[in-house]
Short mmCIF file of all heavy atoms in Angstrom, two decimals:
data_model
loop_
_atom_site.label_atom_id
_atom_site.label_comp_id
_atom_site.label_asym_id
_atom_site.label_seq_id
_atom_site.Cartn_x
_atom_site.Cartn_y
_atom_site.Cartn_z
N PRO W 1 0.76 -1.29 0.00
CA PRO W 1 -0.01 -0.03 0.01
C PRO W 1 0.85 1.27 0.03
O PRO W 1 1.92 1.31 0.50
CB PRO W 1 -0.83 -0.10 1.30
CG PRO W 1 -0.75 -1.43 1.71
CD PRO W 1 0.63 -2.14 1.29
N GLU W 2 0.24 2.29 -0.59
CA GLU W 2 0.94 3.64 -0.67
C GLU W 2 1.19 4.20 0.69
O GLU W 2 2.26 4.88 0.91
CB GLU W 2 0.03 4.59 -1.48
CG GLU W 2 -0.09 4.33 -2.87
CD GLU W 2 1.05 4.72 -3.78
OE1 GLU W 2 1.83 5.59 -3.38
OE2 GLU W 2 1.15 4.27 -4.93
N ASN W 3 0.37 3.95 1.63
CA ASN W 3 0.58 4.56 3.09
C ASN W 3 1.52 3.83 3.83
O ASN W 3 1.73 4.18 4.98
CB ASN W 3 -0.75 4.71 3.61
CG ASN W 3 -1.49 3.39 3.94
OD1 ASN W 3 -1.06 2.29 3.61
ND2 ASN W 3 -2.56 3.56 4.66
N THR W 4 2.11 2.75 3.37
CA THR W 4 3.13 2.02 4.21
C THR W 4 4.46 2.82 4.21
O THR W 4 4.85 3.47 3.25
CB THR W 4 3.48 0.64 3.34
OG1 THR W 4 2.23 -0.08 3.29
CG2 THR W 4 4.50 -0.21 4.11
N PRO W 5 5.05 2.90 5.42
CA PRO W 5 6.24 3.61 5.40
C PRO W 5 7.28 3.14 4.42
O PRO W 5 7.39 1.96 3.96
CB PRO W 5 6.95 3.24 6.92
CG PRO W 5 5.73 2.81 7.63
CD PRO W 5 4.77 2.13 6.66
N THR W 6 8.17 3.97 3.92
CA THR W 6 9.16 3.74 2.96
C THR W 6 10.27 3.02 3.62
O THR W 6 10.37 2.99 4.73
CB THR W 6 9.75 4.95 2.23
OG1 THR W 6 10.49 5.75 3.20
CG2 THR W 6 8.63 5.83 1.62
N TRP W 7 11.09 2.27 2.85
CA TRP W 7 12.25 1.62 3.34
C TRP W 7 13.10 2.58 4.08
O TRP W 7 13.59 2.24 5.28
CB TRP W 7 13.09 0.91 2.20
CG TRP W 7 14.36 0.55 2.60
CD1 TRP W 7 15.59 1.12 2.22
CD2 TRP W 7 14.75 -0.31 3.65
NE1 TRP W 7 16.73 0.58 2.83
CE2 TRP W 7 16.16 -0.40 3.68
CE3 TRP W 7 14.12 -1.31 4.48
CZ2 TRP W 7 16.92 -1.21 4.56
CZ3 TRP W 7 14.84 -2.05 5.31
CH2 TRP W 7 16.17 -1.95 5.36
N GLU W 8 13.37 3.70 3.54
CA GLU W 8 14.24 4.73 4.21
C GLU W 8 13.70 5.15 5.55
O GLU W 8 14.43 5.25 6.60
CB GLU W 8 14.42 5.93 3.33
CG GLU W 8 15.21 5.64 2.10
CD GLU W 8 14.34 5.04 0.90
OE1 GLU W 8 13.14 4.82 1.13
OE2 GLU W 8 14.83 4.79 -0.03
N GLN W 9 12.29 5.34 5.62
CA GLN W 9 11.73 5.70 6.93
C GLN W 9 11.98 4.47 7.90
O GLN W 9 12.17 4.73 9.17
CB GLN W 9 10.24 6.08 6.75
CG GLN W 9 10.04 7.36 6.00
CD GLN W 9 8.49 7.45 5.59
OE1 GLN W 9 7.90 6.45 5.36
NE2 GLN W 9 8.06 8.74 5.43
N TRP W 10 11.61 3.34 7.54
CA TRP W 10 11.56 2.28 8.45
C TRP W 10 13.14 1.94 8.81
O TRP W 10 13.32 1.70 10.05
CB TRP W 10 10.96 1.00 7.74
CG TRP W 10 10.93 -0.08 8.75
CD1 TRP W 10 9.91 -0.41 9.52
CD2 TRP W 10 11.86 -1.14 9.14
NE1 TRP W 10 10.00 -1.54 10.31
CE2 TRP W 10 11.30 -1.97 10.07
CE3 TRP W 10 13.17 -1.45 8.54
CZ2 TRP W 10 11.92 -2.95 10.60
CZ3 TRP W 10 13.83 -2.38 9.18
CH2 TRP W 10 13.25 -3.27 10.18
N ARG W 11 13.99 2.06 7.92
CA ARG W 11 15.41 1.77 8.28
C ARG W 11 15.96 2.76 9.32
O ARG W 11 16.55 2.41 10.33
CB ARG W 11 16.38 1.89 6.95
CG ARG W 11 17.76 1.70 7.24
CD ARG W 11 18.63 2.21 6.15
NE ARG W 11 18.31 3.63 5.91
CZ ARG W 11 18.39 4.18 4.82
NH1 ARG W 11 18.72 3.53 3.65
NH2 ARG W 11 18.16 5.47 4.61
N ASP W 12 15.57 4.04 9.13
CA ASP W 12 16.05 5.21 10.08
C ASP W 12 15.40 4.99 11.45
O ASP W 12 16.11 5.14 12.46
CB ASP W 12 15.71 6.55 9.50
CG ASP W 12 16.50 6.87 8.24
OD1 ASP W 12 17.52 6.09 7.87
OD2 ASP W 12 16.18 7.86 7.38
N ALA W 13 14.06 4.69 11.49
CA ALA W 13 13.38 4.45 12.70
C ALA W 13 13.95 3.24 13.34
O ALA W 13 14.10 3.22 14.67
CB ALA W 13 11.81 4.33 12.44
N ASN W 14 14.29 2.17 12.67
CA ASN W 14 14.80 1.07 13.34
C ASN W 14 16.25 1.20 13.76
O ASN W 14 16.58 0.60 14.91
CB ASN W 14 14.67 -0.24 12.15
CG ASN W 14 15.02 -1.60 12.87
OD1 ASN W 14 14.37 -1.85 13.94
ND2 ASN W 14 15.77 -2.19 12.20
N THR W 15 17.03 1.93 13.14
CA THR W 15 18.34 2.23 13.48
C THR W 15 18.38 3.08 14.78
O THR W 15 19.08 2.83 15.81
CB THR W 15 19.09 3.03 12.38
OG1 THR W 15 19.24 2.28 11.26
CG2 THR W 15 20.38 3.44 12.85
N GLU W 16 17.44 3.99 14.76
CA GLU W 16 17.33 4.88 16.00
C GLU W 16 16.82 3.91 17.22
O GLU W 16 17.32 4.15 18.37
CB GLU W 16 16.28 5.99 15.77
CG GLU W 16 16.12 6.95 17.01
CD GLU W 16 15.18 8.07 16.77
OE1 GLU W 16 14.54 8.11 15.73
OE2 GLU W 16 15.09 9.00 17.67
N LYS W 17 15.90 2.99 16.95
CA LYS W 17 15.38 2.15 18.02
C LYS W 17 16.61 1.36 18.59
O LYS W 17 16.69 1.23 19.78
CB LYS W 17 14.30 1.24 17.45
CG LYS W 17 13.76 0.34 18.44
CD LYS W 17 12.86 -0.59 17.91
CE LYS W 17 12.39 -1.74 18.81
NZ LYS W 17 11.54 -2.73 18.23
N LYS W 18 17.37 0.84 17.67
CA LYS W 18 18.64 0.03 18.19
C LYS W 18 19.50 0.77 19.04
O LYS W 18 20.07 0.32 19.86
CB LYS W 18 19.12 -0.63 16.89
CG LYS W 18 18.45 -1.80 16.20
CD LYS W 18 19.21 -2.33 15.05
CE LYS W 18 18.49 -3.43 14.36
NZ LYS W 18 19.12 -3.97 13.15
N GLU W 19 19.77 2.11 18.53
CA GLU W 19 20.77 3.01 19.24
C GLU W 19 20.16 3.22 20.65
O GLU W 19 20.85 3.27 21.57
CB GLU W 19 21.01 4.25 18.44
CG GLU W 19 21.87 3.96 17.18
CD GLU W 19 21.87 5.12 16.23
OE1 GLU W 19 21.12 6.23 16.53
OE2 GLU W 19 22.60 5.12 15.30
N LEU W 20 18.82 3.58 20.70
CA LEU W 20 18.18 3.90 22.06
C LEU W 20 18.18 2.67 22.92
O LEU W 20 18.46 2.82 24.02
CB LEU W 20 16.90 4.43 21.89
CG LEU W 20 16.85 5.80 21.12
CD1 LEU W 20 15.37 6.21 20.76
CD2 LEU W 20 17.45 6.87 22.02
N THR W 21 18.08 1.41 22.39
CA THR W 21 18.07 0.30 23.19
C THR W 21 19.43 -0.02 23.67
O THR W 21 19.64 -0.33 24.85
CB THR W 21 17.58 -0.98 22.24
OG1 THR W 21 16.26 -0.57 21.92
CG2 THR W 21 17.56 -2.23 23.07
N GLN W 22 20.49 0.15 22.85
CA GLN W 22 21.77 -0.01 23.45
C GLN W 22 22.10 1.15 24.46
O GLN W 22 22.83 0.81 25.37
CB GLN W 22 22.80 0.12 22.11
CG GLN W 22 24.22 -0.11 22.61
CD GLN W 22 24.47 -1.36 23.21
OE1 GLN W 22 24.17 -2.41 22.64
NE2 GLN W 22 24.98 -1.45 24.36
N GLU W 23 21.66 2.28 24.17
CA GLU W 23 22.01 3.46 25.07
C GLU W 23 21.30 3.05 26.49
O GLU W 23 21.99 3.28 27.54
CB GLU W 23 21.39 4.74 24.61
CG GLU W 23 21.63 5.97 25.40
CD GLU W 23 21.17 7.23 24.85
OE1 GLU W 23 21.14 7.37 23.54
OE2 GLU W 23 20.68 8.08 25.66
N ARG W 24 20.11 2.66 26.55
CA ARG W 24 19.45 2.18 27.57
C ARG W 24 20.22 1.07 28.37
O ARG W 24 20.42 1.09 29.65
CB ARG W 24 18.00 1.73 27.29
CG ARG W 24 17.25 1.30 28.52
CD ARG W 24 15.76 0.75 28.19
NE ARG W 24 15.06 0.42 29.31
CZ ARG W 24 15.08 -0.76 29.96
NH1 ARG W 24 16.01 -1.64 29.54
NH2 ARG W 24 14.35 -0.96 30.97
N GLN W 25 20.76 0.07 27.67
CA GLN W 25 21.50 -1.00 28.09
C GLN W 25 22.78 -0.44 28.79
O GLN W 25 23.21 -0.75 29.93
CB GLN W 25 21.81 -2.04 27.21
CG GLN W 25 22.46 -3.31 27.95
CD GLN W 25 21.58 -3.87 28.95
OE1 GLN W 25 20.44 -4.11 28.76
NE2 GLN W 25 22.20 -4.16 30.12
N ASP W 26 23.42 0.49 28.10
CA ASP W 26 24.69 1.11 28.67
C ASP W 26 24.36 1.90 29.97
O ASP W 26 25.27 1.72 30.89
CB ASP W 26 25.28 2.07 27.58
CG ASP W 26 25.78 1.41 26.37
OD1 ASP W 26 25.97 0.16 26.32
OD2 ASP W 26 26.00 2.11 25.31
N ILE W 27 23.22 2.51 30.01
CA ILE W 27 22.93 3.24 31.37
C ILE W 27 22.64 2.28 32.31
O ILE W 27 23.11 2.38 33.60
CB ILE W 27 21.73 4.07 31.06
CG1 ILE W 27 22.14 5.28 30.11
CG2 ILE W 27 21.17 4.71 32.30
CD1 ILE W 27 21.00 6.13 29.62
N LEU W 28 21.97 1.21 32.13
CA LEU W 28 21.68 0.11 33.11
C LEU W 28 22.93 -0.50 33.68
O LEU W 28 23.16 -0.74 34.79
CB LEU W 28 20.72 -0.96 32.60
CG LEU W 28 19.27 -0.47 32.25
CD1 LEU W 28 18.52 -1.41 31.47
CD2 LEU W 28 18.56 -0.05 33.67
N ASP W 29 23.85 -0.79 32.64
CA ASP W 29 25.26 -1.44 33.08
C ASP W 29 25.98 -0.52 33.99
O ASP W 29 26.59 -0.89 35.00
CB ASP W 29 26.03 -1.73 31.83
CG ASP W 29 25.32 -2.94 31.13
OD1 ASP W 29 24.42 -3.65 31.53
OD2 ASP W 29 25.81 -3.04 29.82
N PHE W 30 25.97 0.85 33.56
CA PHE W 30 26.59 1.74 34.48
C PHE W 30 26.03 1.92 35.81
O PHE W 30 26.73 2.05 36.79
CB PHE W 30 26.54 3.12 33.65
CG PHE W 30 27.43 4.27 34.32
CD1 PHE W 30 28.71 4.21 34.56
CD2 PHE W 30 26.80 5.37 34.87
CE1 PHE W 30 29.58 5.11 35.16
CE2 PHE W 30 27.45 6.33 35.56
CZ PHE W 30 28.76 6.13 35.68
N GLN W 31 24.67 2.05 35.90
CA GLN W 31 24.05 1.96 37.22
C GLN W 31 24.46 0.81 38.01
O GLN W 31 24.57 1.07 39.26
CB GLN W 31 22.52 1.96 36.99
CG GLN W 31 21.71 2.16 38.19
CD GLN W 31 21.95 3.42 38.91
OE1 GLN W 31 21.83 4.49 38.30
NE2 GLN W 31 22.27 3.46 40.30
#
């Protein structure tokens, strides 16, 4: 469908999600 996110949108959002997940884990490890 036309209203489906584009590959570029999904890739960028997924990359950001992975980075935030790693950042959260780094904070928990530091705690």
